[in-house]
Amino acid sequence: MNASTTPPAGSGAQGVSLAGKVPAGAPAEAAAASAATPAPTPAGPTAPGVTGPATFRRTARLILQQGWPVLVGQWAGMAFGVLDTAMTGHASPTALAAMALAVSIYITVFVGLMGVLHALIPIIAQHFGAGRLDRIGHTWGQGVWLALGLSALGATAMMFPEVWLSMSGDVSPEVREQVAGYLMMLAIALPAGLVFRTVYALNTAVSRPKVVMMINLLGVGLKFVFNWIFIYGNLGAPDMGAVGAGLSTALVYWISLGISAVILLRDPFYRRFSMRIGRPDWKVLGELLHLGVPMGASYLIEVTSFTFMALLVAREGVFATGGHQIMSNLAAVCFMMPMALGVATGALTAQAIGAGDYPRAKRIGATGLRLAMTGAVLTVLVMLVGRQWIVGAYTNDPKVAVVALGLLNLLTLFHLADALQCMTAYLLRAYKVAVIPMCIQAGALWGIGLTGGWYLAFGPGAGALAGIVNRFMPGATPGAGSMWLMAVFSMLISGSLLQLWYRRIVRKLALQAAP
């Protein structure tokens, strides 16, 4: 589940280096990637994640050191949405409704485009591990060009809010006006937001995530101040409601981008990468798109599968919707941990691949999986022990609470499957494998989870799972319970198939690397 949060076959045109060879019978993605990747430089690896003994303790420490700043940065990103919701909610019901609709549109656009840019992470990490430092600055610069091109597409999509709102039924003119204004501001913010994701990708790939974390934390403070000014009309500014929230986001994004540009130009750490934008390099851009498009599609599949589930559950009324929202929000909060570990593990794995050290890459992946699953078990234990208190913090309505508590009985299985899928997807991306994972996720999450859930919850098969829902999720409504049962089933299938594909690729490459 993403988005992540939570943060996503064809590999890119550039991939794993095996001295120009690929094992017989290896996946076509790995074959294509291997054929195009330059061999590691004779100087050997320079990345911190691929030097020294690869003991479990040391590898786990490296993953955790890189993972916790990613987690804090994700929490900071979530704080933007919390601030907008809380502060527009105190402005007016119209502003809150407009913000909710506009954000759902923006997130759909932004997440897909962001996923494309995240192709920079494995590509730059492999350059870093191989010691091809001069390629890092050039590749990042091409990422900036790609971000600007994607911004034009995304901004165009947001300039026509009526197309999106046609799916929302009868929306008042006041809300429509604020939605249009909010999206206009976010269209202005989009170029800065996407270019900043290239800075995020760069720092993640070279094991420097604290830079982005600090900028994000500063952004939360600025967001609160700008929201206070423009939402409520303080310090002589006009009272703009939801549009003010969009304006504050645009200001924070551009300020964050400016700060990151100063850091890239002045920090000696980045000088060895020859940071530059240069002219568009169609070969590198093609490589980014080859890997990034299926990655972005995977992000969209995860986001939309849960967005559409919410729309379907809304048929059962406000209590079912409220209980579903609590379950969804808790699942998203839980997802932040495996996502952060996945980003860190994927980057370190890609560094090892770039250095040509495939046994180390395999050990890093195994360590990351152990950490993610251990963390997932601890997370669900906390959720189950504190479930009454947690639900009480979300709602005072007993009917909503009953639905939420019933659905939470599935959280253990769902989160364990989600953690497995998340970590495995990031490991596959480290090997520049993205198309097969995208197909697996589409078939599982859209085909089994969403379509199958609709069929058994509200379609011709409605009621087929009512007995299971009543037995294992007392209090949950039949539709919401059936949808979540199928979501858990689809996540288990997706995680298991991704893990099988990952092991297949690792095994084939290990055989080739053996003397």
Side-chain angles (χ1 to χ4, degrees):
M1 178 178 181
N2 198 0
S4 359
T5 130
T6 128
S11 306
Q14 184 171 346
V16 182
S17 171
L18 289 175
K21 300 178 182 178
V22 180
E29 299 174 77
S34 178
T37 300
T41 60
T46 61
V50 294
T51 57
T55 63
F56 173 80
R57 179 176 296 181
R58 183 176 186 275
T59 303
R61 185 170 64 250
L62 284 171
I63 292 172
L64 293 173
Q65 285 175 348
Q66 185 156 336
W68 76 261
V70 175
L71 179 60
V72 173
Q74 290 298 321
W75 284 342
M78 291 180 68
F80 273 50
V82 172
L83 286 172
D84 277 354
T85 301
M87 298 179 79
T88 55
H90 285 87
S92 72
T94 298
L96 181 59
M99 192 275 303
L101 287 170
V103 165
S104 65
I105 297 170
Y106 175 71
I107 288 299
T108 302
V109 173
F110 184 79
V111 166
L113 300 181
M114 176 192 74
V116 177
L117 293 172
H118 281 189
L120 286 166
I121 297 176
I123 293 173
I124 291 178
Q126 287 195 17
H127 286 322
F128 190 53
R132 299 187 293 269
L133 303 185
D134 62 317
R135 297 295 300 166
I136 292 175
H138 178 66
T139 302
W140 170 80
Q142 298 308 302
V144 172
W145 281 115
L146 180 57
L148 294 175
L150 294 174
S151 298
L153 292 176
T156 301
M158 291 191 294
M159 296 301 290
F160 299 95
E162 292 300 325
V163 176
W164 298 87
L165 292 177
S166 64
M167 297 181 287
S168 300
D170 187 18
V171 179
S172 70
E174 295 81 4
V175 171
R176 288 178 180 271
E177 182 180 354
Q178 290 217 24
V179 167
Y182 189 96
L183 289 177
M184 177 69 73
M185 294 300 174
L186 291 181
I188 296 172
L190 189 60
L194 290 179
V195 173
F196 185 72
R197 297 311 294 186
T198 69
V199 179
Y200 165 87
L202 168 68
N203 282 280
T204 299
V206 300
S207 298
R208 239 188 171 215
K210 291 182 182 178
V211 172
V212 173
M213 179 193 74
M214 296 305 296
I215 295 174
N216 282 340
L217 290 175
L218 174 63
V220 172
L222 293 174
K223 175 68 173 171
F224 176 81
V225 173
F226 290 146
N227 270 8
W228 178 77
I229 293 173
F230 295 112
I231 292 176
Y232 304 127
N234 289 306
L235 300 182
D239 180 352
M240 301 174 68
V243 179
L247 175 58
S248 69
T249 296
L251 290 173
V252 171
Y253 277 13
W254 282 102
I255 291 172
S256 298
L257 180 60
I259 293 172
S260 65
V262 171
I263 293 173
L264 293 181
L265 289 172
R266 295 186 176 274
D267 191 332
F269 175 84
Y270 300 97
R271 291 175 186 168
R272 52 183 168 159
F273 302 145
S274 302
M275 303 300 296
R276 60 198 183 278
I277 296 178
R279 297 179 179 178
D281 183 331
W282 300 111
K283 181 179 179 181
V284 176
L285 287 170
E287 175 189 0
L288 288 171
L289 288 170
H290 196 136
L291 180 60
V293 169
M295 284 177 60
S298 290
Y299 279 70
L300 271 180
I301 289 166
E302 293 189 60
V303 169
T304 54
S305 64
F306 289 92
T307 300
F308 292 143
M309 188 196 302
L311 295 175
L312 291 171
V313 170
R315 299 182 182 189
E316 292 190 305
V318 294
F319 301 125
T321 300
H324 165 80
Q325 182 59 34
I326 293 173
M327 175 71 168
S328 296
N329 190 259
L330 289 174
V333 170
C334 292
F335 175 78
M336 292 295 103
M337 181 276 300
M339 189 215 64
L341 292 175
V343 170
T345 304
L348 293 171
T349 299
Q351 290 173 10
I353 293 168
D357 194 342
Y358 303 104
R360 182 184 294 271
K362 180 181 177 180
R363 288 193 293 271
I364 292 171
T367 302
L369 278 167
R370 288 175 61 182
L371 289 175
M373 300 314 295
T374 301
V377 170
L378 295 175
T379 300
V380 296
L381 286 176
V382 171
M383 289 291 175
L384 291 176
V385 171
R387 60 204 302 269
Q388 294 282 351
W389 180 86
I390 293 171
V391 172
Y394 274 93
T395 181
N396 294 321
D397 191 301
K399 294 182 179 180
V400 173
V402 167
V403 176
L405 289 169
L407 293 175
L408 283 180
N409 290 335
L410 288 180
L411 187 59
T412 299
L413 278 176
F414 181 84
H415 182 55
L416 290 173
D418 202 10
L420 177 65
Q421 178 197 236
C422 174
M423 177 59 73
T424 309
Y426 276 106
L427 287 174
L428 285 166
R429 292 164 190 162
Y431 287 87
K432 297 184 178 177
V433 176
V435 172
I436 291 297
M438 177 195 70
C439 294
I440 290 172
Q441 289 174 312
L445 301 185
W446 275 354
I448 297 173
L450 191 60
T451 305
W454 164 81
Y455 183 88
L456 295 172
F458 304 104
L465 300 178
I468 299 176
V469 172
N470 292 333
R471 180 177 178 84
F472 296 103
M473 293 178 285
T477 56
S482 297
M483 291 293 298
W484 275 102
L485 275 171
M486 294 306 295
V488 170
F489 185 47
S490 69
M491 195 67 74
L492 285 169
I493 291 176
S494 178
S496 299
L497 291 178
L498 288 174
Q499 185 64 203
L500 288 173
W501 193 257
Y502 167 69
R503 290 177 181 274
R504 180 175 186 264
I505 287 177
V506 170
R507 183 170 60 252
K508 292 291 186 180
L509 296 181
L511 289 174
Q512 175 62 30

